[in-house]
Amino acid sequence: MKNRQILLFSILIAVAMLGMIFIFFYRPWTEISLQKYMAKITTCGNILDENDCYAKSFCEGIYGPVNPDSNQFEFKRCQKIPFAALLQLEKEKNICQTTQGQWYRNKLGNFCLCDKAGAGQTFDKTKGCISK
């Protein structure tokens, strides 16, 4: 009886160790798959938090005045960026980076900063960072 208990306990320990090894090696793959799945099923219109909206590269925040007489703006809603616009942004980002610009994204939009490319540089959507 005692040998049987030792055998069962050894099998339990071996299965637990195999489970831990599996989790250790497949955790990064699982996390990436889960993030891709969450991005796939996320509807931008359902996001209510400004930071959550900003965190999704395929969503953009819509801002509006706090009240009709105010010059201050606040987050109103989140919406999905159309696919054609996403393709254009990716193209502009690549052009920006290949012409020594720095792609910058904040809550108000996407920009190419050409100051590192040299003094007097400005961004052109088809040519990248060029002299003014």
Side-chain angles (χ1 to χ4, degrees):
M1 183 77 171
K2 190 168 185 148
N3 287 339
R4 190 177 200 186
Q5 289 175 340
I6 291 173
L7 179 66
L8 287 174
F9 183 72
S10 298
I11 291 172
L12 177 68
I13 294 296
V15 168
M17 297 269 294
L18 285 173
M20 288 188 329
I21 290 170
F22 178 81
I23 290 170
F24 179 77
F25 285 110
Y26 287 98
R27 184 180 59 205
W29 178 81
T30 305
E31 287 176 1
I32 290 169
S33 297
L34 183 61
Q35 288 174 354
K36 285 181 181 178
Y37 175 72
M38 291 301 292
K40 192 177 196 180
I41 66 168
T42 299
T43 304
C44 297
N46 294 339
I47 298 175
L48 301 176
D49 183 56
E50 179 180 13
N51 292 326
D52 289 342
C53 182
Y54 176 70
K56 309 286 185 219
S57 62
F58 53 90
C59 296
E60 67 181 345
I62 303 299
Y63 296 84
V66 174
N67 57 49
D69 299 329
S70 176
N71 288 338
Q72 294 181 339
F73 290 93
E74 68 179 353
F75 177 77
K76 296 290 187 180
R77 69 181 191 282
C78 187
Q79 74 178 19
K80 186 173 184 174
I81 300 172
F83 185 69
L86 277 175
L87 288 176
Q88 181 63 31
L89 283 174
E90 190 63 30
K91 185 191 249 185
E92 290 175 15
K93 178 181 178 182
N94 290 336
I95 291 171
C96 172
Q97 291 173 340
T98 57
T99 57
Q100 300 173 343
Q102 180 182 5
W103 191 252
Y104 181 71
R105 179 176 186 254
N106 66 14
K107 294 176 183 178
L108 300 177
N110 299 288
F111 312 96
C112 182
L113 303 175
C114 294
D115 55 340
K116 290 186 179 179
Q121 298 281 319
T122 187
F123 181 68
D124 180 78
K125 291 183 179 189
T126 56
K127 298 176 184 172
C129 293
I130 58 172
S131 297
K132 290 183 183 178

